[in-house]
Amino acid sequence: MSNNSNVIAVIPARWGSSRFPGKPVAEIAGVPMIVRVYRRVCEVPSISRAIVATDDVRIADVLRAHGIDDVVMTPPECPNGTVRCRAALESLGLRPDVIVNVQGDEPMVSTDTLAALVDAMLSPSRPAIATTAHPFAGSYAELANPSRVKVVTDEAGMALLFSRAVIPFQRDAAPEEWPSRHRYLIHQGLYAFRFDTFMSLPVEMSPLARLESLEQLSWLDAGIDIRVVETQQSPYPSVDNPEDVRKIEELLVSK
């Protein structure tokens, strides 16, 4: 990693999951998932340090058993990964210029995408928040899947709206024509923040954010600009349930 101490990645990892308790320590081809995520992040030259923020000593013990000491305990009641990352920085007394939030359930997170995200934050425009998205390719049924969050940007690449619904709506075309008549962007869920912006993010979700269950809508509602970094690479799947482990293992073999 780089000697630039101003860019720190924080990886939130909690034990409790209704669909997959203990998910961060699930082994993928013999290596715990959270260890894989940490190692991937450390491959990005522009990120100087990676920290795992967890709520459970069992996760910390697995990391340390693999030689990873950059782990900090955070309160179990943290409502989401953003708050957990903030708690970790407060506990360590760190004030980096840029914070990259990487989910702990993405063992094949793209290092190129992470690098592009950091590059955007270090550019002369110095956005308050940057996130990533990729062009959609597929059928309307796939586009309409609410787990695929859509984002609409202005001409400068700043986010106007995120939604689980298909936006924009095409009034003069049948839904099956929509993917071929408009270039949709799918949000990837990776974020980078300026320190001052990150520490002042709204804790409570706004009414619109609660409706969609998308915390980034609270940031837009608060008047914070979000730069959307477009990548050409679709994200690898995250691990949401035990069945996903086999999918990741198959992808690792095929790479």
Side-chain angles (χ1 to χ4, degrees):
M1 288 189 290
S2 163
N3 291 324
N4 178 5
S5 60
N6 290 326
V7 180
I8 291 179
V10 187
I11 307 164
R14 67 186 183 95
W15 185 272
S17 169
S18 58
R19 289 179 290 182
F20 195 174
K23 178 171 63 171
V25 301
E27 290 201 352
I28 299 175
V31 180
M33 178 168 64
I34 190 62
V35 173
R36 286 188 176 277
V37 176
Y38 178 89
R39 289 174 177 171
R40 292 282 287 186
V41 172
C42 289
E43 292 175 10
V44 181
S46 53
I47 295 177
S48 58
R49 183 180 180 186
I51 298 166
V52 177
T54 187
D55 65 343
D56 198 288
V57 69
R58 289 169 288 186
I59 297 173
D61 286 346
V62 165
L63 286 160
R64 290 175 179 135
H66 285 77
I68 300 168
D69 294 322
D70 243 336
V71 53
V72 60
M73 303 304 299
T74 54
E77 61 269 19
C78 290
N80 55 49
T82 303
V83 174
R84 191 170 304 285
C85 291
R86 183 155 51 193
L89 293 173
E90 290 174 340
S91 175
L92 295 171
L94 297 174
R95 295 180 59 89
D97 286 344
V98 175
I99 299 139
V100 183
N101 184 351
V102 183
Q103 298 307 309
D105 59 2
E106 297 187 5
M108 295 182 70
V109 61
S110 167
T111 54
D112 288 343
T113 298
L114 286 172
L117 189 62
V118 174
D119 286 347
M121 295 299 292
L122 299 180
S123 69
S125 62
R126 294 180 58 84
I129 301 175
T131 191
T132 57
H134 67 274
F136 173 78
S139 67
Y140 174 78
E142 294 171 298
L143 182 65
N145 184 337
S147 67
R148 288 177 174 256
V149 176
K150 278 65 71 174
V151 57
V152 175
T153 68
D154 65 15
E155 292 185 356
M158 306 303 290
L160 294 173
L161 184 63
F162 298 83
S163 181
R164 298 185 185 277
V166 181
I167 54 172
F169 179 89
Q170 296 187 50
R171 189 190 66 175
D172 299 323
E176 59 269 19
E177 299 177 274
W178 289 11
S180 63
R181 293 175 57 130
H182 180 78
R183 190 169 175 275
Y184 287 90
L185 285 176
I186 303 299
H187 184 223
Q188 294 179 336
L190 289 171
Y191 296 101
F193 308 85
R194 297 260 157 241
F195 177 79
D196 290 342
T197 298
F198 186 69
M199 301 306 286
S200 62
L201 290 175
V203 175
E204 298 294 329
M205 292 181 75
S206 69
L208 180 59
R210 286 197 300 271
L211 277 175
E212 293 256 19
S213 190
L214 296 173
E215 64 176 335
Q216 64 268 36
L217 292 175
S218 294
W219 311 337
L220 289 179
D221 283 341
I224 304 171
D225 290 336
I226 302 176
R227 165 80 186 281
V228 177
V229 179
E230 188 175 321
T231 72
Q232 295 305 311
Q233 183 174 20
S234 299
Y236 288 107
S238 59
V239 175
D240 297 318
N241 54 61
E243 292 73 30
D244 292 334
V245 171
R246 177 64 62 85
K247 298 176 186 177
I248 296 293
E249 288 177 333
E250 290 173 352
L251 284 170
L252 287 170
V253 170
S254 66
K255 280 180 65 65

